[in-house]
Amino acid sequence: MPNKSNHHQGGHLTNKKTPVRKNQVQKGDTLIYALGGLGEVGKNMYCYEYENEICIVDCGVLFPGDELLGVDYVIPDYHHLIRMNKKRKFLVITHGHEDHIGGIPFLLKQVQIDAIYAPRFAKALILKKLSEHKGLEKVPIIEIDEDSSIKTRYFTVGFFNTIHSIPDSLGVLITTPNGSIVHTGDFKFDLTPVGTNANYQKMAYIGVMQPDVLMADSTNAGVEEFSISEKDVANEILEIMRNAKHRLIIATFASNVYRVNQIIEAALKCGRKIAVFGRSMENVVDIARKMGVIKIKNSQILSPEELSRTPDNEVCILCTGSQGEPLAALSRIASGTHRHIHLKPSDTVVFSSSPIPGNASSINKIIDKLFRSGATVLSKSVLTNLHTTGHASKEEQKLMLQLIKPHYFMPIHGEYKMLMQHRQTAIDTGMPPENIFVCANGDILILRNHELLQSDWRYQGDDIYVDGNDISGLSTAVLKDRRILADNGLVAVIIAIDSKENKILSRPVIVSRGFVFIKDSQALIKEAEFIVGASLQEKMKEKTTFSEIKNCIRSTLEPFLYKKTHRNPIVIPVILNSKQTMEEITKKRAAHDRSKRPIHSRRENNHREAK
């Protein structure tokens, strides 16, 4: 910990004391910090630390944008927790969305966690996730609900029901020796909800106890009005089902379990059977059926084979791809590449979702393809209530602030703009601006004797890119190369040398991919080969290493290519050490020549051998 009041010199503790600043971390402080979730929508991970215990709330992933070429997930940098491996750590999950549970397998591979506490539906999703990773099932997962309580040496953790787009969503009350913190998780207020209602009484009771800090969801801080009720969405979907004369295809978020259930219930009411497509959708429906959240008989679910034999007016296809994801079911349906579903002009396609920022263009491309096929396409607009959010709008955030009545406030879960909008909302409700802390990942707040302070110390809050199975963070360097390849291409320089004689056997050969059009750039390539050859001749007048030769090629070629083309391709030197290489080339040529001999001569040889 960064308490610098004592200094070790030559192994002895000095008596010299430096004055301790107020915002310097001291022994006995409760530390509050985020490793993910601030300045972004995703990879939520919030830590509460006291002495040798750390309470972690949520452990999510962030789905990468188009600029992160080939990256599967973005996770927080866990190095701080790895360094703190001697401290006791337990993980509390607020609900089962990927931006809150997706990072658990990556965390467990690197950090010792005593136990995971998760609500019922989230627990089922976590168990499914961990079953895909060997050796991680041994961490105990303890089911919690709003009546549960976790007691450790320094922490007491309680819960209250909130409303979100997935069952079993909880807010958290954390009590530490320095004060109490309310962490809302993702929430909204819906006065006619689908599923469990929020516990307004418990929230108001927590407010009466005057908690020190509120940390609240900021995703919809820029949305003015109360969000539409899920009941209104259910009625809209039912009306569309009743009016549709032919086949219905409905795309929504697989993670929006209540919406998925509403679509299924509406279809069954209208005498339609359900066909489910998309791996994540199939998983969620399967888990929700086992838990009794979705009630549908096997006879009411269509297999892909049964789909083609069922009349169109008795079919509802439920699929993923509402955000235009290229590999999702709806994208393949729109492109005509889906194995089981081929669009018909009579189809009605419904988007029961809103575009996530940045996805609008890919969604529009899908909608355009659907229109070209002649299908009727319905999406959320001012005229239709086909989607509602799972996050609190400005008015709902005010209600949470008024119910909890905290002394201090820290907006969480949102881009910087959202955090600042939430800050203004808190000021509008009467909270002093100096009591509001807008932080970045890694910033530390100190809770000391019911007072909240900004620390002069911070942890690393970097992103780690998960590329395939790699969670080392080394993919960051790989990504840099991918970007250069995408923008500037590659140039390989092949030279043959005799290391014993220390001489070049032939002039360098340059091959390029994605850099310039070779046929139009012969003069450039020839000039580059000449310049590299001259530079190497000079270099090899004295003994050199392979590394020095490679550096010579790069330092000669890179400035020349940039000067001529204003591009910086990746330059890859390929050095052939002649004698071995020439022997291998000779062998390959001989084998190639044998295979090219006329068939009749081979037959003669075989005939001789048979004799």
Side-chain angles (χ1 to χ4, degrees):
M1 249 337 96
N3 185 351
K4 302 164 191 166
S5 57
N6 293 322
H7 301 277
H8 289 280
Q9 292 181 345
H12 298 286
L13 195 67
T14 62
N15 293 325
K16 197 172 164 183
K17 289 192 176 180
T18 54
V20 177
R21 296 186 304 280
K22 192 177 181 184
N23 63 345
Q24 189 174 316
V25 174
Q26 299 172 23
K27 188 174 170 60
D29 287 344
T30 298
L31 307 184
I32 301 169
Y33 52 93
L35 296 180
L38 301 181
E40 60 199 355
V41 177
K43 71 178 177 72
N44 292 283
M45 191 175 199
Y46 307 93
C47 300
Y48 306 90
E49 185 175 329
Y50 184 87
E51 298 294 338
N52 69 332
E53 286 187 346
I54 302 175
C55 168
I56 305 167
V57 175
D58 290 331
C59 180
V61 295
L62 176 71
F63 292 104
D66 292 340
E67 75 283 358
L68 296 178
L69 304 162
V71 169
D72 299 316
Y73 305 106
V74 184
I75 58 173
D77 188 341
Y78 302 132
H79 276 95
H80 166 65
L81 297 176
I82 296 167
R83 283 195 297 272
M84 298 287 159
N85 245 348
K86 289 185 179 174
K87 295 197 175 192
R88 183 169 179 263
K89 289 174 284 296
F90 61 99
L91 176 59
V92 175
I93 299 299
T94 58
H95 66 282
H97 280 154
E98 281 295 298
D99 58 336
H100 294 259
I101 66 168
I104 291 175
F106 307 112
L107 179 73
L108 296 183
K109 284 175 184 173
Q110 300 177 79
V111 178
Q112 179 67 41
I113 300 290
D114 289 7
I116 299 171
Y117 297 87
R120 190 175 71 119
F121 202 87
K123 180 183 176 183
L125 291 168
I126 294 165
L127 287 170
K128 170 79 177 164
K129 191 176 288 293
L130 295 187
S131 69
E132 298 166 7
H133 297 263
K134 284 184 182 175
L136 300 183
E137 301 95 329
K138 61 183 183 294
V139 178
I141 304 176
I142 298 154
E143 191 176 309
I144 53 172
D145 58 27
E146 76 159 353
D147 297 320
S148 301
S149 178
I150 304 167
K151 285 187 171 64
T152 68
R153 185 175 176 187
Y154 299 118
F155 290 99
T156 302
V157 185
F159 304 93
F160 54 92
N161 280 336
T162 57
I163 299 167
H164 193 39
S165 55
I166 192 169
D168 309 321
S169 177
L170 296 173
V172 185
L173 171 64
I174 301 165
T175 307
T176 81
N178 284 294
S180 56
I181 304 141
V182 175
H183 182 117
T184 66
D186 289 359
F187 79 97
K188 64 179 280 191
F189 288 122
D190 187 340
L191 301 178
T192 53
V194 174
T196 310
N197 206 343
N199 195 333
Y200 297 91
Q201 292 78 14
K202 200 165 188 177
M203 290 183 213
Y205 178 69
I206 291 168
V208 170
M209 295 193 300
Q210 296 186 315
D212 296 288
V213 187
L214 171 65
M215 299 171 66
D217 172 18
S218 307
T219 309
N220 275 352
V223 178
E224 293 290 337
E225 302 299 324
F226 254 84
S227 48
I228 303 163
S229 171
E230 274 296 343
K231 284 270 169 71
D232 295 337
V233 179
N235 293 336
E236 188 86 31
I237 289 168
L238 183 59
E239 194 61 30
I240 289 167
M241 291 269 190
R242 284 190 179 130
N243 293 331
K245 300 288 185 277
H246 299 281
R247 192 168 63 168
L248 260 172
I249 301 171
I250 303 184
T252 191
F253 299 106
S255 58
N256 194 335
V257 180
Y258 286 134
R259 182 74 44 76
V260 170
N261 185 42
Q262 285 166 208
I263 292 164
I264 290 171
E265 284 181 354
L268 299 181
K269 275 182 191 171
C270 296
R272 291 177 184 265
K273 291 184 178 180
I274 295 286
V276 181
F277 290 94
R279 185 163 167 262
S280 56
M281 188 71 80
E282 288 166 17
N283 284 342
V284 163
V285 169
D286 185 45
I287 289 168
R289 286 182 72 199
K290 285 175 183 169
M291 307 199 76
V293 175
I294 291 176
K295 296 178 175 67
I296 183 171
K297 298 172 187 169
N298 287 338
S299 60
Q300 294 168 320
I301 296 176
L302 292 171
S303 68
E305 293 71 35
E306 291 170 322
L307 188 62
S308 58
R309 302 194 297 268
T310 308
D312 284 356
N313 62 345
E314 294 175 20
V315 171
C316 176
I317 295 167
L318 183 58
C319 66
T320 54
S322 64
Q323 297 302 303
E325 304 96 316
L327 298 178
L330 187 64
S331 294
R332 287 183 283 124
I333 292 167
S335 303
T337 57
H338 199 282
R339 276 195 305 162
H340 304 290
I341 305 167
H342 301 286
L343 278 172
K344 303 173 185 177
S346 57
D347 289 342
T348 299
V349 182
V350 179
F351 283 77
S352 186
S353 62
S354 287
I356 292 171
N359 290 349
S361 62
S362 52
I363 295 169
N364 288 336
K365 282 177 188 171
I366 300 293
I367 290 174
D368 190 63
K369 285 179 183 175
L370 294 169
F371 270 114
R372 283 176 186 276
S373 71
T376 303
V377 182
L378 301 173
S379 57
K380 179 178 162 53
S381 70
V382 290
L383 302 174
T384 58
N385 293 331
L386 282 172
H387 179 65
T388 186
T389 180
H391 300 273
S393 67
K394 192 177 285 188
E395 295 303 309
E396 293 156 66
Q397 289 170 349
K398 286 176 187 174
L399 179 53
M400 180 62 83
L401 283 157
Q402 297 288 17
L403 282 169
I404 301 297
K405 292 192 175 299
H407 292 301
Y408 299 96
F409 175 55
M410 177 182 168
I412 58 169
H413 193 299
E415 295 167 1
Y416 185 73
K417 174 184 77 173
M418 299 165 184
L419 303 180
M420 290 303 288
Q421 287 168 329
H422 205 172
R423 175 183 183 272
Q424 187 56 49
T425 300
I427 292 168
D428 293 345
T429 63
M431 179 161 281
E434 63 273 15
N435 286 12
I436 303 169
F437 295 84
V438 175
C439 298
N441 293 333
D443 288 353
I444 301 171
L445 296 183
I446 302 166
L447 185 60
R448 182 186 298 151
N449 194 22
H450 304 283
E451 184 183 6
L452 196 65
L453 306 162
Q454 179 91 46
S455 167
D456 61 353
W457 185 265
R458 71 185 311 277
Y459 298 129
Q460 279 301 109
D462 295 336
D463 290 345
I464 298 294
Y465 302 130
V466 179
D467 191 0
N469 291 322
D470 173 42
I471 56 170
S472 64
L474 296 175
S475 299
T476 312
V478 176
L479 265 182
K480 188 180 169 189
D481 283 352
R482 279 185 200 158
R483 284 202 190 101
I484 296 169
L485 283 168
D487 293 336
N488 298 298
L490 170 149
V491 170
V493 183
I494 303 154
I495 60 161
I497 65 166
D498 186 340
S499 56
K500 286 184 180 173
E501 305 261 334
N502 203 43
K503 66 177 183 180
I504 303 172
L505 296 174
S506 63
R507 70 178 176 81
V509 176
I510 290 180
V511 179
S512 90
R513 288 289 180 273
F515 170 53
V516 288
F517 186 53
I518 293 287
K519 282 186 179 175
D520 291 347
S521 306
Q522 288 294 335
L524 172 73
I525 299 295
K526 288 274 186 289
E527 191 180 350
E529 287 172 352
F530 175 78
I531 286 169
V532 171
S535 181
L536 284 172
Q537 291 282 10
E538 193 64 32
K539 186 75 181 168
M540 293 184 74
K541 282 179 180 174
E542 53 194 58
K543 275 284 180 188
T544 57
T545 63
F546 283 122
S547 177
E548 285 172 340
I549 293 169
K550 286 179 179 179
N551 287 338
C552 175
I553 292 169
R554 287 197 187 101
S555 61
T556 305
L557 190 57
E558 284 174 357
F560 169 76
L561 293 177
Y562 184 77
K563 184 181 171 187
K564 292 287 185 181
T565 65
H566 287 282
R567 292 199 172 279
N568 276 318
I570 291 179
V571 173
I572 301 177
V574 180
I575 303 171
L576 307 176
N577 200 359
S578 70
K579 291 215 169 161
Q580 300 166 308
T581 311
M582 294 312 286
E583 283 169 15
E584 285 171 23
I585 289 170
T586 307
K587 281 180 189 173
K588 280 181 185 173
R589 273 192 186 146
H592 184 69
D593 289 344
R594 279 199 301 275
S595 68
K596 288 276 183 184
R597 270 186 307 178
I599 291 170
H600 66 266
S601 66
R602 272 186 264 161
R603 279 187 189 144
E604 285 169 16
N605 285 347
N606 292 343
H607 184 62
R608 284 194 206 104
E609 283 167 19
K611 280 183 177 180

